[in-house]
């Protein structure tokens, strides 16, 4: 399953949920679920909520990377930001940027952020090694 739409449809059916049931649980419209599944809407602002509801690895659902199932040692509650805030135990790496703000950006903007963070990590890692 190469596309988010395919992964979402697959796991929704695997969990025995209708589009309407999943939409209600995620507090979004059924048409949003339909649009995600037919790929007319590519990026989901509700990715963390959908992954938590479906009990799947958020990275697998969003990008198709890693195992589908949530790791046993990572409680599903830790994948969801509480009241829009990111918990320190969350899989989300940033304290000052919410997942919903990040996912609201365009794919190009998200790639720019990823490239910048990657560059900073490499740069800081090199500086730490010299000390």
């Amino acid at each position: 399953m190469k596309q988010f739409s395919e992964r979402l449809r697959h796991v929704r059916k695997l969990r025995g949920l209708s589009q309407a049931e999943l939409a209600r649980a995620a507090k979004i419209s059924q048409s949003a679920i339909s649009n995600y599944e037919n790929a007319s809407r590519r990026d989901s602002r509700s990715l963390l909520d959908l992954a938590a509801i479906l009990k799947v690895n958020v990275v697998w659902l969003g990008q198709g990377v890693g195992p589908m199932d949530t790791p046993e040692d990572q409680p599903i509650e830790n994948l969801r930001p509480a009241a829009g805030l990111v918990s320190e135990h969350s899989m989300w790496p940033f304290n000052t940027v919410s997942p919903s703000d990040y996912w609201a950006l365009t794919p190009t903007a998200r790639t720019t952020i990823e490239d910048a963070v990657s560059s900073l990590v490499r740069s800081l890692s090199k500086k730490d090694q010299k000390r």
Side-chain angles (χ1 to χ4, degrees):
M1 290 174 272
K2 292 184 178 186
Q3 294 185 1
F4 167 70
S5 59
E6 296 168 327
R7 290 186 298 277
L8 180 61
R9 182 180 308 111
H10 169 76
V11 75
R12 177 183 59 77
K13 288 181 177 184
L14 186 68
R15 301 295 189 243
L17 295 171
S18 68
Q19 286 183 348
E21 290 168 327
L22 179 56
R24 256 191 315 279
K27 297 183 173 124
I28 59 177
S29 69
Q30 185 272 324
S31 63
I33 299 293
S34 177
N35 288 339
Y36 295 143
E37 288 188 3
N38 69 30
S40 63
R41 212 169 154 183
R42 298 198 186 276
D43 295 313
S44 172
R45 292 181 182 175
S46 303
L47 183 64
L48 290 173
D49 288 334
L50 292 170
I53 292 161
L54 295 167
K55 295 187 167 70
V56 295
N57 180 326
V58 68
V59 177
W60 174 84
L61 183 60
Q63 300 173 1
V65 176
M68 179 181 91
D69 292 320
T70 303
E72 293 297 321
D73 62 345
Q74 178 68 45
I76 197 74
E77 303 84 47
N78 288 349
L79 297 176
R80 300 180 73 165
L85 300 175
V86 179
S87 116
E88 70 180 30
H89 301 291
S90 174
M91 290 177 60
W92 184 251
F94 305 106
N95 291 322
T96 59
V97 177
S98 74
S100 59
D101 287 345
Y102 173 81
W103 288 108
L105 298 171
T106 66
T108 302
R110 291 194 308 268
T111 299
T112 301
I113 290 170
E114 183 178 344
D115 291 345
V117 170
S118 177
S119 178
L120 284 169
V121 168
R122 283 192 308 274
S123 174
L124 293 171
S125 294
K126 290 176 186 175
K127 287 179 183 176
D128 286 343
Q129 290 173 357
K130 291 179 183 179
R131 291 182 186 181

